[in-house]
Amino acid sequence: MKLDRHSSIPLYAQLRELIMERIQSGQYGPGEKIPSEMDFCKELDLSRPTVRQAISELVSDGILEIHKGKGTFIAEEVERILIPHFTALSFSFLNLNSYEDIGLRPIKLLEADKETDKLFRFPENQAHPGYWLAEWPLIFKEQVIGNCQSYIPVQIFPELGQSITVGKRMIDVKSNKYAYLPQKGSITLCSRPAKHKEASLLDIPRRSYIIACEGQLFARSGHVCEVIRVIFRPDLVCLEIN
Amino acid sequence: MKLDRHSSIPLYAQLRELIMERIQSGQYGPGEKIPSEMDFCKELDLSRPTVRQAISELVSDGILEIHKGKGTFIAEEVERILIPHFTALSFSFLNLNSYEDIGLRPIKLLEADKETDKLFRFPENQAHPGYWLAEWPLIFKEQVIGNCQSYIPVQIFPELGQSITVGKRMIDVKSNKYAYLPQKGSITLCSRPAKHKEASLLDIPRRSYIIACEGQLFARSGHVCEVIRVIFRPDLVCLEIN
């Protein structure tokens, strides 16, 4: 790429693209120092404000970083934790082989609520004994990177709460229930500001953006056997989708 | 839920949860007006600052909205556009049956760059004739909700750019190339601040959060035949994952 002084694209924007190209081509690598403003002025015969504008935009894009007294550097990509093969079933509680090592919080018994009933496709206003809520954090290197909530209908698993409280093994909790275990699922993923509780669970400022997933897991029987709500810290996590 | 004056949980936090419960149970529906601060004070025997704190937190969570002179209302969820059955292949260019209606921008021929070469698993420093870049916006109801970029190696599809420029049908572009069409893929999804160009493509303020996907599509032959980079406006889109 060469700068074109007759183009309708302003020179600072052309310089910005030129620097981007040099980064993408590997001429400037992550963590490396780039030439100074003066160097760019000389090399490309540009004015200082033009160079400054290009660099300041790249800084505000998070592509360059100014280290005071040292110069301008190519920002190093934050290494995110990859959640491999992410699917609707990735954070199913019922699909776990064991809940021993996940930091499971005490199981709660929740009353029916309309929003969750809708996800379970329960007919409106039909009384039922509520859901078990299994909740656990996603932790990587001692840092909370997400939070999982799993709702399981008491109707289908009447003793789940008690069984887990007394430490029954997962294989025994699930025995004779194979028709009611998740086979497939459908979740929606969006990115939105964290609510109060979510921000404190993830240890981030309120209204920070999070990745939020919510949806249904279906059993062989066709019933919704589990509803999941999973949130992730987007600055720490990336999801692999196949 | 009842308020517990002997609990270690502050009363305003208990009230916040109580209001949340009433919303979830459907007692207060979306768009409905909730009782005034004074009503809550009387009903639950609370001080005005306690009620105000609970409500102001729910407002900052986006759950309640204050309409000046009218009262406090349950916020209506913004209706997002659902991208159904989202997979790595959802926005493949080579998998399209036709490119007529997608608003495809003119195909560009790009030089090899290190970052993209890595995604294609090309050996480092091996010269090759670059990639075709096919780029198109995702539009819903005349609003841009995302942007797709597809990189296709010139090596595998030497005439792609010319064929599309002259309006060749997709079926003809792909004829005799079936071994090189995407069969499966692996993309990573993360949420991060938009870069300058991305923000202007999506018509959002710079540094707004976007959902960004990047990854490889594999042909039957095992080769990476397409690299895709898709970005979405998270305020408008939600992805269904199965």
Side-chain angles (χ1 to χ4, degrees):
Chain A
M1 175 181 173
K2 281 189 180 160
L3 301 188
D4 174 1
R5 281 160 206 280
H6 305 292
S7 160
S8 62
I9 302 166
L11 277 170
Y12 79 85
Q14 294 187 46
L15 175 58
R16 194 185 63 216
E17 292 315 302
L18 184 141
I19 297 175
M20 282 299 294
E21 259 192 34
R22 289 184 177 177
I23 295 172
Q24 267 153 15
S25 72
Q27 186 175 341
Y28 306 149
E32 270 178 35
K33 189 172 168 176
I34 63 162
S36 68
E37 283 181 17
M38 279 307 292
D39 293 336
F40 278 117
C41 294
K42 277 186 217 157
E43 180 197 340
L44 301 161
D45 192 18
L46 293 168
S47 74
R48 196 91 181 232
T50 299
V51 174
R52 191 163 290 160
Q53 171 80 9
I55 288 179
S56 95
E57 290 202 354
L58 290 167
V59 169
S60 89
D61 276 358
I63 289 163
L64 298 180
E65 284 172 356
I66 294 174
H67 296 191
K68 273 202 175 154
K70 291 189 181 163
T72 304
F73 293 76
I74 310 292
E76 298 197 54
E77 280 266 322
V78 184
E79 191 92 34
R80 290 191 157 94
I81 297 131
L82 185 72
I83 313 264
H85 303 294
F86 180 71
T87 70
L89 294 170
S90 292
F91 295 100
S92 160
F93 182 76
L94 291 174
N95 267 4
L96 289 174
N97 291 320
S98 152
Y99 53 83
E100 274 170 38
D101 301 320
I102 60 169
L104 186 68
R105 290 192 269 274
I107 300 276
K108 284 187 202 160
L109 176 58
L110 302 184
E111 280 176 38
D113 72 65
K114 273 198 184 172
E115 239 179 273
T116 311
D117 273 8
K118 217 184 273 173
L119 286 172
F120 274 112
R121 302 181 176 178
F122 288 153
E124 258 190 78
N125 304 318
Q126 184 190 289
H128 67 84
Y131 339 94
W132 301 111
L133 171 62
E135 191 168 6
W136 67 100
L138 294 174
I139 294 176
F140 186 83
K141 291 192 178 163
E142 301 181 7
Q143 182 148 42
V144 175
I145 60 169
N147 191 71
C148 302
Q149 291 186 321
S150 159
Y151 297 76
I152 297 158
V154 174
Q155 266 180 175
I156 305 184
F157 288 85
E159 282 149 34
L160 187 90
Q162 293 83 345
S163 301
I164 286 169
T165 308
V166 302
K168 219 170 171 180
R169 287 181 313 163
M170 203 58 176
I171 192 168
D172 297 324
V173 171
K174 296 199 278 195
S175 74
N176 297 320
K177 293 284 186 189
Y178 288 98
Y180 299 103
L181 298 182
Q183 294 294 308
K184 56 182 185 170
S186 166
I187 60 171
T188 59
L189 176 154
C190 67
S191 177
R192 58 163 175 76
K195 290 172 186 164
H196 182 81
K197 259 196 181 169
E198 295 169 334
S200 78
L201 279 169
L202 299 184
D203 194 20
I204 51 176
R206 283 177 73 176
R207 308 293 289 160
S208 303
Y209 267 73
I210 56 168
I211 294 176
C213 302
E214 176 178 88
Q216 306 130 317
L217 308 186
F218 301 93
R220 202 179 304 244
S221 64
H223 290 92
V224 179
C225 56
E226 189 173 351
V227 158
I228 60 163
R229 294 193 171 112
V230 184
I231 55 175
F232 300 101
R233 274 186 64 161
D235 55 332
L236 297 180
V237 168
C238 103
L239 306 174
E240 182 197 44
I241 293 170
N242 295 112
Chain B
M1 174 178 174
K2 281 185 180 163
L3 301 187
D4 175 0
R5 281 161 206 283
H6 305 292
S7 161
S8 62
I9 301 166
L11 277 169
Y12 79 85
Q14 293 187 46
L15 175 59
R16 194 185 63 217
E17 292 314 303
L18 184 141
I19 297 174
M20 282 300 294
E21 259 192 34
R22 290 183 178 178
I23 296 172
Q24 267 153 15
S25 73
Q27 186 176 340
Y28 305 150
E32 270 178 35
K33 189 172 168 175
I34 63 161
S36 68
E37 282 181 18
M38 280 305 292
D39 294 335
F40 278 118
C41 294
K42 278 186 213 154
E43 180 198 339
L44 300 161
D45 193 18
L46 292 169
S47 75
R48 195 89 182 234
T50 299
V51 174
R52 191 162 292 159
Q53 172 81 9
I55 288 179
S56 94
E57 290 202 354
L58 290 167
V59 169
S60 89
D61 276 358
I63 290 164
L64 299 180
E65 284 171 358
I66 294 174
H67 297 191
K68 273 202 176 153
K70 291 189 182 164
T72 304
F73 293 76
I74 310 292
E76 299 196 54
E77 281 264 325
V78 184
E79 191 91 35
R80 280 165 210 259
I81 297 131
L82 184 73
I83 312 265
H85 304 294
F86 180 72
T87 68
L89 293 171
S90 291
F91 295 100
S92 159
F93 182 76
L94 290 175
N95 267 3
L96 288 174
N97 290 319
S98 152
Y99 54 84
E100 274 170 38
D101 300 321
I102 60 170
L104 185 68
R105 289 192 271 273
I107 300 275
K108 283 186 202 161
L109 175 58
L110 303 184
E111 279 176 40
D113 72 67
K114 273 199 183 172
E115 240 178 270
T116 310
D117 273 7
K118 218 186 269 173
L119 287 171
F120 274 112
R121 303 183 175 175
F122 287 153
E124 258 188 78
N125 304 320
Q126 185 192 288
H128 66 85
Y131 339 95
W132 301 110
L133 171 61
E135 189 166 7
W136 67 100
L138 294 174
I139 293 176
F140 187 82
K141 291 191 179 165
E142 301 181 8
Q143 182 149 42
V144 175
I145 61 170
N147 191 71
C148 303
Q149 291 186 321
S150 159
Y151 298 75
I152 296 158
V154 174
Q155 266 181 174
I156 306 186
F157 288 85
E159 281 149 36
L160 187 87
Q162 292 83 343
S163 302
I164 286 168
T165 307
V166 302
K168 218 170 173 182
R169 288 180 315 162
M170 203 59 176
I171 193 167
D172 297 324
V173 171
K174 296 199 278 196
S175 74
N176 297 321
K177 293 285 186 188
Y178 288 98
Y180 299 103
L181 298 181
Q183 294 294 307
K184 55 182 187 172
S186 166
I187 59 171
T188 60
L189 177 153
C190 68
S191 177
R192 59 163 174 76
K195 291 173 186 166
H196 181 81
K197 257 197 183 171
E198 295 169 333
S200 79
L201 279 170
L202 299 183
D203 193 20
I204 52 177
R206 281 177 74 173
R207 308 293 288 161
S208 303
Y209 268 72
I210 57 167
I211 294 177
C213 301
E214 177 178 87
Q216 305 130 318
L217 308 186
F218 300 93
R220 202 180 303 246
S221 63
H223 291 91
V224 178
C225 56
E226 188 173 352
V227 158
I228 60 164
R229 296 194 169 111
V230 184
I231 55 174
F232 299 102
R233 274 186 64 162
D235 56 332
L236 297 181
V237 167
C238 103
L239 306 175
E240 183 197 43
I241 292 169
N242 295 112

